Amino acid sequence: MRVSRRAKIISGSSVVGLVTGSLIVILSNPANAASCTDVHENIGWAQSDTMHRGIVSHGVMVYLANNPDFSHNVNCVRISTLDMANTIHDQVEIGWNIDPTHDLPCGGSGTNDIPIRYVVVTVSDVQHCAAGQPSLTTGQEETLKATDPNKDGHWLFYDSGNQLNFTFDTTWTIGWASAQGERHDTSGQPKNSAHALFEGLQFIDATGPHDFDNTRVFCDTSNDYDGSLLNGSNTALKVALTNNNFQLCSL
Amino acid sequence: MRRRRYLERHGDVLGQQVHVPEATGMKLLTRIGGGELALGLVAAVGSTILALLVAGGLLSGRPAPARRDEAAGRSIQPAPDAGARVGLIQPPPGAGPFLRGVKVTLAQAQADVPYALSRPASPLASDDSIAAVWVESGPGFSHAAIDYTSGIEEIIQPAEFTDPSKKFEAIRSELSGDIGSAVSVQTVQGGPALVIDQNAQGTNAGSVSFVTHNLLVQIYGHYPEGTLMSIAETVR
């Protein structure tokens, strides 16, 4: 009899606890709160003859104006970047992002459709946001550059020829020069866009900038988006919706 | 007085009239009806926590995907997601931590790079516990990576800076605004080492970077920094 009463106490109290916990969760999570995950797709190219000390694109399209997704489909993060990658642990990149839920370390502070220029340095897996502004004009192209001119692990970043008021030190001096489109949270409907366009792509070595050539490799983790050469040029690369399967880093 | 009223009221609820002298209220909690009351409170608190944990798990979204390393035949599990990260260009399967890495034997790796591959000799990382070795090289550069069955990864490449102390301090200063004391410059093998604690940003492994024999050696792993530093001390 005593055991039975204790069982009633436990079960009754447990119900109260479960209800209390559920109420706390419900009240602290509004139904309209956005939920973006870290799942992402990257579609891009890397100049693969050897590692270099910088990359520049004389035409990084900012959120394509003719993109059919322009007004509505930015639910989570989308990105276009120029990258210098030494290993998967250590990279620098400059580009633009749209981050409506402010999940990124450099996420925008504006509304859903305002892209911002940013720089992220990844040091031993830790991502450091170097700059999160200014807002960029959609439909225009930016000239962006990341380079270690003295090959001493001291990186400089440029927008339209102007050096940004920011530098960063790394333990490495050269990396794979690459350009890529990226989207996050690929399971939502409608899905985010990963449209991207890079024109005038060049890698930078000790003698200066040189055009991307036919040694570039294509790296794609998306089943929906693919890359292609614009007008057959190795220096003009485009990411668009093609519904082809992904392929990982091949010529 | 308030406690006394509470116990008397709840004693009734539990089917037992309780008289609670002012000074002995807590003692009574562990006896007669108080024991059952405590039992009920524990159950209520426990189930509240359970509800929060379950709901939290459902609302937190998908965990960050494991990096499946086909060449090494293992998965490297990232720590729980702590917000989105900028996606990094990913190497194809079999390339290890390099975009164009080639899986080789330790002997082949040693033959492919123009420097001696300094390696750890500790219970978590030694030549007896190597899972995979990669080399990536080209005109003007080379580096190697060694993965161990414990999940430890070592990356070796020529150090391209002359003052490790100055370099590591510059990086520490730049990262400290993001991860605070999770990044530090400490001493390994009598010299400076850049130490980053695991999970400083929710997903990163811990790492120790230091220079020995003009090589930059980096030890990665989801282990406490003291463990990674002890491994780094054994690199010869």
Side-chain angles (χ1 to χ4, degrees):
Chain A
M1 186 63 186
R2 187 170 184 76
V3 171
S4 174
R5 191 170 72 234
R6 285 188 171 176
K8 287 179 181 176
I9 294 166
I10 292 172
S11 59
S13 301
S14 297
V15 169
V16 171
L18 288 169
V19 170
T20 304
S22 300
L23 281 173
I24 291 172
V25 169
I26 290 169
L27 292 174
S28 62
N29 287 280
N32 61 351
S35 176
C36 295
T37 70
D38 203 17
V39 176
H40 52 78
E41 294 177 345
N42 293 60
I43 308 102
W45 298 259
Q47 170 71 20
S48 72
D49 59 334
T50 189
M51 287 190 177
H52 296 291
R53 62 173 71 175
I55 184 172
V56 58
S57 170
H58 298 280
V60 180
M61 178 59 79
V62 179
Y63 200 29
L64 287 169
N66 61 351
N67 184 339
D69 301 329
F70 180 74
S71 298
H72 305 293
N73 280 8
V74 185
N75 302 315
C76 296
V77 177
R78 61 164 304 189
I79 291 170
S80 283
T81 56
L82 305 176
D83 294 30
M84 294 299 295
N86 184 260
T87 71
I88 62 170
H89 306 292
D90 289 285
Q91 307 187 22
V92 301
E93 63 183 71
I94 181 171
W96 59 262
N97 73 60
I98 299 174
D99 179 16
T101 54
H102 316 312
D103 278 352
L104 288 178
C106 291
S109 57
T111 57
N112 290 11
D113 293 326
I114 299 178
I116 59 166
R117 186 196 64 222
Y118 78 113
V119 173
V120 162
V121 181
T122 303
V123 178
S124 298
D125 290 336
V126 173
Q127 294 196 333
H128 171 70
C129 171
Q133 55 183 323
S135 299
L136 302 174
T137 302
T138 58
Q140 292 189 1
E141 292 186 337
E142 298 284 322
T143 295
L144 302 178
K145 180 168 76 172
T147 184
D148 176 7
N150 298 319
K151 203 172 182 291
D152 59 358
H154 191 65
W155 290 83
L156 309 179
F157 304 92
Y158 296 82
D159 184 350
S160 302
N162 300 313
Q163 185 180 340
L164 303 184
N165 185 26
F166 172 82
T167 61
F168 202 92
D169 280 86
T170 63
T171 57
W172 51 279
T173 63
I174 53 174
W176 297 111
S178 65
Q180 59 181 319
E182 174 180 335
R183 64 172 179 168
H184 286 223
D185 198 26
T186 58
S187 62
Q189 291 295 337
K191 292 181 179 178
N192 272 357
S193 165
H195 278 90
L197 176 63
F198 306 92
E199 296 188 89
L201 267 172
Q202 296 179 306
F203 61 87
I204 300 169
D205 65 14
T207 61
H210 306 276
D211 287 352
F212 267 42
D213 59 32
N214 60 8
T215 68
R216 78 269 176 275
V217 292
F218 176 59
C219 305
D220 174 2
T221 62
S222 172
N223 280 320
D224 296 328
Y225 283 82
D226 267 304
S228 61
L229 304 180
L230 191 65
N231 300 323
S233 170
N234 289 315
T235 66
L237 306 174
K238 182 179 180 181
V239 174
L241 188 61
T242 59
N243 295 313
N244 287 334
N245 290 329
F246 70 89
Q247 58 185 63
L248 288 171
C249 297
S250 58
L251 284 169
Chain B
M1 190 62 186
R2 182 176 299 167
R3 179 189 298 158
R4 181 183 179 188
R5 285 176 184 157
Y6 177 84
L7 287 173
E8 286 178 341
R9 188 182 307 124
H10 286 76
D12 284 334
V13 170
L14 300 180
Q16 193 165 356
Q17 184 66 41
V18 180
H19 173 70
V20 185
E22 285 287 344
T24 57
M26 289 309 294
K27 288 182 180 177
L28 283 173
L29 259 180
T30 60
R31 296 164 59 183
I32 51 174
E36 290 171 334
L37 175 61
L39 197 62
L41 286 172
V42 168
V45 171
S47 54
T48 301
I49 293 171
L50 178 64
L52 290 171
L53 287 175
V54 170
L58 292 174
L59 292 172
S60 63
R62 289 163 288 177
R67 177 163 71 88
R68 177 67 182 170
D69 197 318
E70 301 294 342
R74 63 190 175 82
S75 294
I76 301 172
Q77 292 289 346
D81 189 7
R85 289 161 56 86
V86 173
L88 304 175
I89 196 164
Q90 291 298 302
F98 307 133
L99 187 67
R100 309 216 77 190
V102 177
K103 188 183 179 188
V104 296
T105 65
L106 180 60
Q108 288 172 323
Q110 185 56 83
D112 287 347
V113 299
Y115 42 83
L117 290 174
S118 300
R119 304 185 298 280
S122 81
L124 285 173
S126 72
D127 285 359
D128 295 330
S129 60
I130 291 176
V133 181
W134 293 275
V135 166
E136 185 179 56
S137 61
F141 84 97
S142 66
H143 46 193
I146 303 175
D147 271 18
Y148 296 90
T149 54
S150 61
I152 294 293
E153 181 171 80
E154 181 194 32
I155 294 180
I156 311 155
Q157 57 187 319
E160 298 186 275
F161 45 91
T162 56
D163 187 341
S165 183
K166 184 178 178 182
K167 173 65 73 175
F168 293 153
E169 180 54 35
I171 296 174
R172 186 210 64 76
S173 176
E174 288 158 347
L175 287 182
S176 61
D178 299 279
I179 58 175
S181 60
V183 57
S184 58
V185 176
Q186 301 189 43
T187 300
V188 166
Q189 298 196 20
L194 180 68
V195 180
I196 296 177
D197 203 5
Q198 62 176 339
N199 304 330
Q201 282 190 331
T203 54
N204 64 287
S207 64
V208 174
S209 303
F210 64 103
V211 174
T212 181
H213 302 103
N214 296 319
L215 298 174
L216 172 67
V217 176
Q218 295 172 294
I219 304 292
Y220 288 92
H222 283 286
Y223 290 92
E225 65 178 41
T227 302
L228 297 179
M229 289 179 67
S230 69
I231 294 171
E233 289 285 2
T234 69
V235 172
R236 294 290 184 269

